[in-house]
Amino acid sequence: MSATTPLSEETLHPRLEAAMAQVNRVLLGKPRQVKLAFTCLVAGGHLLLEDVPGVGKTTLAHALAASFALEFQRVQFTSDLLPSDIIGVSVFERETGQFRFHPGPIFTGLMLADEINRATPKTQSALLEAMAEGQVTVDGQTHTLAQPFFVVATQNPLDLHGTFPLPDSQLDRFMLRISLDYPDAAAERALLSGSDRRDLLAQLTPQLDAPSLAALHRQAQGITASSALLDYLQALLAASRRHADIRVGLSPRAGIALLGAARAWALLSGRGHVLPEDIQALFVPLAAHRLVPSRGASGDALARALLADTAVD
């Protein structure tokens, strides 16, 4: 069965597992990060990859697009990049006497925003409406983006010369922030002795498509979250707002994102209900970049502390 053929509910999950398996064959030794990326995609969020160059961030984005048969666009963010370079521009046509909109690379299924923090805040903010509402506005005209629309953004947390840190409002648009990190010795040996990643990417076949992804998203939204589970989630949100070392805690929107991601994680785990372990697996990737410390502690350390201090009833 091709990825363009409508899939039954019984067929969706084996194909989803096949998609994850083929991404894991390209991005070696990172099964947890691959599952987090799939979780973000199925939940309808956007993904921020924060790591040093050369660890597979672009490879992961390419593999996701290929596995879901999504149109792929890569934009290298630089200081001279303009909002119109991403969104598009209206051009006057003398023959018709009218302006015609020429869409930019944001009109795609999966957009890789490479080194997003090297663009100016004005250009970064051009993504806000698109990521939040699935549309862009140019010259007073609103243009709806194709669905699904998934942004994978990368940034190097160490090389900060000439960068513009993402503001809190922009960071909040990313459901998850993950780091791939260096491969272990076995995975690195396989990378050194195996095929070129570009050759492997060219061999990937679509396992799912846009309608299948929409169906998975609907299934994830139907995953059960008990009252006790919601109590635990709310306890984590409340703890973030009263912690002495956190100036700005988690918003209700962050809580909704956490629940949506937990439902997708449960779906990927083959369950019809959310467990506290799902919340715990996702809390640091979802919360750390949203927490605003009042002192020197990092968001990751604060998120882990919140997990350790909040009991599961």
Side-chain angles (χ1 to χ4, degrees), residues 169-182:
S169 59
Q170 185 84 49
L171 286 171
D172 191 49
R173 305 300 177 183
F174 291 99
M175 177 175 278
L176 300 179
R177 184 197 66 176
I178 65 175
S179 173
L180 297 179
D181 207 353
Y182 295 111

Side-chain angles (χ1 to χ4, degrees), residues 244-248 288 290-300 302:
D245 293 332
I246 299 176
R247 181 162 55 87
V248 178
R290 290 178 163 92
L291 297 173
V292 180
S294 58
R295 304 177 191 178
S298 69
D300 291 78
L302 290 171

Side-chain angles (χ1 to χ4, degrees), residues 154-276:
T154 73
Q155 62 178 7
N156 182 346
L158 300 179
D159 182 12
L160 299 179
H161 178 71
T163 61
F164 303 87
L166 296 176
D168 296 339
S169 59
Q170 185 84 49
L171 286 171
D172 191 49
R173 305 300 177 183
F174 291 99
M175 177 175 278
L176 300 179
R177 184 197 66 176
I178 65 175
S179 173
L180 297 179
D181 207 353
Y182 295 111
D184 60 28
E188 190 163 37
R189 176 58 64 91
L191 285 168
L192 294 171
S193 59
S195 301
D196 189 285
R197 298 298 102 180
R198 289 171 293 185
D199 295 334
L200 291 178
L201 285 171
Q203 297 169 15
L204 294 182
T205 57
Q207 300 298 320
L208 296 156
D209 57 10
S212 303
L213 182 55
L216 287 167
H217 180 61
R218 290 192 296 270
Q219 286 188 21
Q221 289 178 315
I223 297 292
T224 302
S226 67
S227 178
L229 188 284
L230 295 179
D231 288 342
Y232 177 52
L233 191 155
Q234 282 192 285
L236 286 168
L237 297 179
S240 75
R241 297 163 188 167
R242 62 172 180 261
H243 195 286
D245 293 332
I246 299 176
R247 181 162 55 87
V248 178
L250 298 174
S251 67
R253 181 163 59 194
I256 293 170
L258 179 55
L259 181 58
R263 283 178 161 141
W265 183 272
L267 179 72
L268 290 170
S269 302
R271 281 184 277 101
H273 58 279
V274 181
L275 296 175

